[in-house]
Amino acid sequence: MLYVKNVPNGERVLRVVAGSLAAAAGLLAVGGTAGVLLAASAAGIVASGLFGFCPMCAMAGRRLDKAKKNGAL
């Protein structure tokens, strides 16, 4: 694997939903060049949710807790 997941599952779902809504709003409500740019940036948010890796979070040093990841408390 080329990257280590740094976004927890709950946030991943939220990113996919929010990014999809932002893309739809950009294409349907805003329209034009601004709408396409909004939809393109929202696609990046959706991608980070699908892959579980956020480059900006990695730059900030965010890591997932391995104990929670393995199901242990």
Side-chain angles (χ1 to χ4, degrees):
M1 184 167 16
L2 298 174
Y3 61 90
V4 176
K5 292 185 180 183
N6 59 2
V7 180
N9 289 336
E11 187 176 335
R12 290 176 67 186
V13 170
L14 192 65
R15 284 177 185 241
V16 170
V17 170
S20 298
L21 290 174
L27 292 175
L28 299 175
V30 177
T33 305
V36 171
L37 290 174
L38 179 62
S41 62
I45 296 170
V46 172
S48 71
L50 291 174
F51 294 123
F53 177 76
C54 175
M56 295 305 291
C57 293
M59 287 175 53
R62 184 177 188 187
R63 304 254 188 269
L64 289 179
D65 185 17
K66 291 183 182 185
K68 287 183 183 178
K69 186 177 177 183
N70 293 332
L73 296 174

